[in-house]
Amino acid sequence: MIPLPLDLLTMVLSGALLLLALLTPMFSPFFRRLPRRGQTTPGELPPVTVLLVSNGDHEALDEHLPLYLTQDYPAGYEVVVVSEKADLETENVLKRYSHDQRLYHTFVPESSRYMSKNKLAITLGVKASKNDWIVLTDPRCKPLDSHWLSSLSEHFTPSHNMVLGYSNFTQEAKTYHRFERLHTALYLLRQARTGKAYRTNCLHVSFRKSEFMERQGFLEYLKYSIGEYDFLVNKFATEEGTVVADSPSTWLWESPLHPKSWQNRQVYYHEVGRHLEGGTKVRLLHALDQWAMYGNYLFELSAGVFAGLTHRWVLLGVATVSLLLTIVLRTINGKKTFKEYQTGLSSWKVVPLELSMLRRSFLTRMRYEYADKSDFISHKV
């Protein structure tokens, strides 16, 4: 017996398919992204220190340092570079710019073997700073023009203690790296805008020297060899005093990462997250979005197979339309966000990249589970 074309089951399933096709694309950071705030009304801009921690990236430092030393910033600023004492290539680069009075160079002692060198380097740079406001970033990142520091510093007001910035990967970076950077950043920046910041996945954080020193900086985290930006945000961000600088004029652009380095970053996040506070809301929201996306696709495909097997051709048509509608809506959401954040990603890649997240997340999790956990600690405890 051939079922009626519009029996009750067909109507119920068709309604559910269309409803979920319309609703589930809203469960995405690309749809839910907050509108960017405009620049604040600038008051008296403070003197600023730009702190660069070099990890042997002397070529990036040589390329990008001139961009930091030529900022149009009338309030005055300095650039502090911290490197390992044995890093001769970095020393040679800095010698070429030693005539610039805004540049200051200090070293991490060779004897610092039992603590995180990056956290120690940041601490030494903070101590060397002449100014209260410090912009922490990496030599692999660059501003696009000479007005970057002026735009960013408009957020350095008496009521703020931390400013979170956004850093894009340049368009030479791998497609998924650019996608993942934006996808994760949208969750973290939204959390910072609506509550207390949890962490950051961008190498772009500004904070006050006075608070850092008063609260003993990274003291409780020195044994962890990773996560300096995350620990900094998690410890010092406040709901009232932390602001997001999301205007494109405040962005930095990060050079592409080698696939192995990028993979290590993802694995490290699993370990760092175990020691951070306040991440439940972010993780639950991300899980909800993933369940909604994959659940909807599974429901549409299952309904289509069921319709074909039971000769419910109307239901098969609705399942097909629902799948196409889901793809179109998710593509539109992603396209708008890709353009807004200048990722250079094609709109047709939205759905394949979203669908690949589960597999990549699983592989990263497995790498973390089988990793030697002592690699995440600077000394055995």
Side-chain angles (χ1 to χ4, degrees):
M1 177 179 178
I2 299 178
L4 294 175
L6 288 177
D7 63 345
L8 180 60
L9 182 58
T10 295
M11 291 188 289
V12 170
L13 291 177
S14 296
L17 284 166
L18 292 173
L19 181 62
L20 290 175
L22 292 171
L23 289 180
T24 54
M26 300 179 188
F27 290 79
S28 164
F30 298 144
F31 175 84
R32 196 174 46 243
R33 69 192 189 283
L34 293 176
R36 291 203 303 263
R37 292 174 178 171
Q39 292 295 94
T40 59
T41 302
E44 183 178 354
L45 298 179
V48 174
T49 295
V50 178
L51 175 54
L52 303 174
V53 176
S54 177
N55 288 296
D57 297 318
H58 61 277
E59 293 180 353
L61 181 66
D62 194 16
E63 179 182 356
H64 298 157
L65 185 57
L67 298 174
Y68 290 105
L69 291 173
T70 54
Q71 289 295 303
D72 182 9
Y73 192 66
Y77 73 99
E78 63 177 353
V79 178
V80 175
V81 178
V82 186
S83 66
E84 293 189 43
K85 195 171 184 60
D87 188 352
L88 298 180
E89 290 87 355
T90 296
E91 287 188 46
N92 291 332
V93 169
L94 293 171
K95 285 178 182 178
R96 292 200 289 274
Y97 300 96
S98 59
H99 62 279
D100 195 315
Q101 296 182 352
R102 284 171 294 207
L103 179 62
Y104 179 81
H105 181 208
T106 188
F107 303 95
V108 176
E110 294 183 47
S111 59
S112 57
R113 300 176 181 177
Y114 303 109
M115 62 182 68
S116 167
K117 287 191 175 181
N118 279 348
K119 295 181 186 66
L120 178 59
I122 292 172
T123 302
L124 293 173
V126 171
K127 288 183 176 181
S129 171
K130 299 176 183 177
N131 306 310
D132 192 40
W133 272 106
I134 296 174
V135 182
L136 173 63
T137 185
D138 189 276
R140 297 178 56 260
C141 296
K142 65 177 180 179
L144 285 186
D145 58 41
S146 62
H147 303 291
W148 163 75
L149 190 56
S150 294
S151 298
L152 180 64
S153 297
E154 292 180 8
H155 297 281
F156 298 168
T157 67
S159 61
H160 294 151
N161 76 318
M162 177 171 281
V163 180
L164 301 185
Y166 179 67
S167 59
N168 256 332
F169 277 122
T170 60
Q171 296 189 11
E172 293 77 22
K174 288 186 174 294
T175 296
Y176 188 77
H177 297 184
R178 285 180 280 156
F179 171 82
E180 193 278 337
R181 164 61 56 83
L182 175 59
H183 191 270
T184 300
L186 289 172
Y187 285 102
L188 299 177
L189 294 178
R190 179 183 176 85
Q191 173 63 23
R193 286 272 293 270
T194 59
K196 182 183 180 298
Y198 168 51
R199 68 174 184 90
T200 181
N201 68 332
C202 299
L203 305 179
H204 189 353
V205 177
S206 304
F207 57 96
R208 291 184 179 273
K209 173 181 179 178
S210 54
E211 184 181 10
F212 183 91
M213 299 304 296
E214 181 182 347
R215 297 179 59 189
Q216 299 183 303
F218 293 114
L219 181 62
E220 60 267 51
Y221 307 119
L222 284 175
K223 71 176 182 179
Y224 303 114
S225 60
I226 52 177
E228 48 275 1
Y229 285 82
D230 298 290
F231 288 126
L232 183 67
V233 172
N234 198 254
K235 178 175 179 177
F236 292 99
T238 65
E239 189 168 348
E240 300 80 16
T242 300
V243 66
V244 175
D246 51 9
S247 170
S249 61
T250 66
W251 293 351
L252 290 173
W253 293 81
E254 183 178 346
S255 301
L257 278 173
H258 186 276
K260 184 64 176 178
S261 298
W262 183 86
Q263 185 182 101
N264 288 339
R265 274 195 190 182
Q266 308 311 305
V267 173
Y268 291 164
Y269 286 148
H270 281 282
E271 176 65 20
V272 171
R274 297 177 56 246
H275 311 288
L276 301 178
E277 298 178 354
T280 302
K281 181 179 178 181
V282 174
R283 289 192 292 268
L284 286 177
L285 187 59
H286 180 267
L288 178 62
D289 290 347
Q290 294 293 289
W291 277 104
M293 179 179 70
Y294 287 109
N296 180 54
Y297 280 128
L298 182 61
F299 180 43
E300 289 167 340
L301 294 175
S302 299
V305 171
F306 172 73
L309 293 175
T310 58
H311 306 290
R312 287 178 164 85
W313 308 123
V314 172
L315 179 60
L316 179 60
V318 172
T320 303
V321 169
S322 298
L323 178 60
L324 293 175
L325 182 60
T326 297
I327 293 172
V328 168
L329 291 178
R330 300 193 77 93
T331 299
I332 291 174
N333 290 338
K335 179 181 179 180
K336 289 180 179 178
T337 312
F338 288 173
K339 182 178 181 181
E340 183 179 352
Y341 284 86
Q342 302 175 25
T343 63
L345 295 173
S346 301
S347 58
W348 68 266
K349 294 182 179 180
V350 175
V351 171
L353 288 170
E354 286 183 327
L355 289 174
S356 72
M357 286 190 295
L358 182 63
R359 175 180 61 85
R360 294 175 186 270
S361 178
F362 174 77
L363 292 175
T364 299
R365 183 70 193 188
M366 289 300 99
R367 292 187 183 102
Y368 169 72
E369 293 296 335
Y370 287 100
D372 183 353
K373 302 305 184 290
S374 65
D375 291 341
F376 305 129
I377 300 176
S378 56
H379 66 285
K380 303 296 185 293
V381 293

